[in-house]
Amino acid sequence: MKTLKTSMIIGVFFVLVTGTLAHFLYDWSGENPIVGLFTPVNESIWEHMKLLFFPMLLYSAVLVLRFKDKEPCMMCSLCFGSLLGTFLIPVLYYTYTAVLHRDFFVLDIATFLISAVAAFYAAYRLTQSCRLQSYATLIYALTAVLFFCFMLFTYDPPSLGLFNDPEIHTFSLHSVEI
């Protein structure tokens, strides 16, 4: 189990470093549309969810191959962890910005860090307990749906706040009269 724990800790750092680099990769690639499917193409919260999802998916594939004989519940647990971490990003971001009425760069970084740690912690605990194994098909399906949504909504996003690039669209709760 010590090797599993160490691998999960390394995973947190892998996601943090790769996700941080991925933040800039679309611009560095000359706005390559293929790169944009896996990295943020704008500053929307939706696009920033990719910073955790795709690096964790990549690292998860390595872990599953490495531990496939020892940890039968690992793939399901890592998929759940990636869903948890990915969806924690908008939850934490919108929670703190609703309270503080603005965003802060330091809290954005903390959001990413907390989400990555929570994702791998949940994956580690669930790998050990195998509690989610009976839900594996659902978890795999949800992971595939999210993957598909990232592909679909990168260049054709719905008209919802989650998908709005704050550098282009502005919306303030303070401008809404109640």
Side-chain angles (χ1 to χ4, degrees):
M1 284 297 157
K2 195 168 198 162
T3 305
L4 176 62
K5 187 176 191 176
T6 301
S7 295
M8 294 289 187
I9 292 168
I10 292 169
V12 171
F13 288 103
F14 177 83
V15 167
L16 293 174
V17 169
T18 331
T20 301
L21 291 173
H23 190 275
F24 306 101
L25 194 56
Y26 180 67
D27 287 335
W28 292 344
S29 74
E31 297 186 359
N32 182 303
I34 303 297
V35 172
L37 293 173
F38 303 97
T39 63
V41 298
N42 62 46
E43 291 299 317
S44 72
I45 301 308
W46 172 258
E47 290 294 311
H48 280 76
M49 292 164 63
K50 293 177 181 180
L51 298 177
L52 188 137
F53 184 77
F54 287 111
M56 186 158 180
L57 205 60
L58 178 63
Y59 190 77
S60 295
V62 171
L63 283 185
V64 168
L65 289 174
R66 181 171 181 216
F67 289 99
K68 65 182 172 189
D69 297 326
K70 296 179 191 172
E71 302 292 348
C73 302
M74 178 173 265
M75 189 163 130
C76 176
S77 300
L78 285 164
C79 284
F80 177 82
S82 69
L83 292 169
L84 173 70
T86 300
F87 286 110
L88 264 177
I89 291 171
V91 167
L92 294 174
Y93 174 80
Y94 287 122
T95 299
Y96 98 72
T97 56
V99 170
L100 300 175
H101 304 293
R102 63 175 290 228
D103 65 341
F104 290 94
F105 181 69
V106 166
L107 294 179
D108 292 344
I109 303 240
T111 294
F112 184 47
L113 174 66
I114 291 165
S115 298
V117 169
F120 278 99
Y121 180 75
Y124 174 70
R125 298 299 297 218
L126 292 166
T127 297
Q128 292 179 308
S129 72
C130 278
R131 274 187 278 175
L132 290 183
Q133 202 57 29
S134 59
Y135 302 100
T137 303
L138 174 62
I139 292 167
Y140 299 148
L142 291 172
T143 304
V145 166
L146 183 58
F147 184 97
F148 176 74
C149 287
F150 280 128
M151 299 298 110
L152 181 65
F153 298 148
T154 292
Y155 297 112
D156 190 22
S159 296
L160 299 170
L162 178 69
F163 300 92
N164 289 345
D165 184 342
E167 293 179 359
I168 297 171
H169 300 89
T170 58
F171 174 78
S172 171
L173 292 174
H174 303 292
S175 64
V176 177
E177 290 190 33
I178 300 176

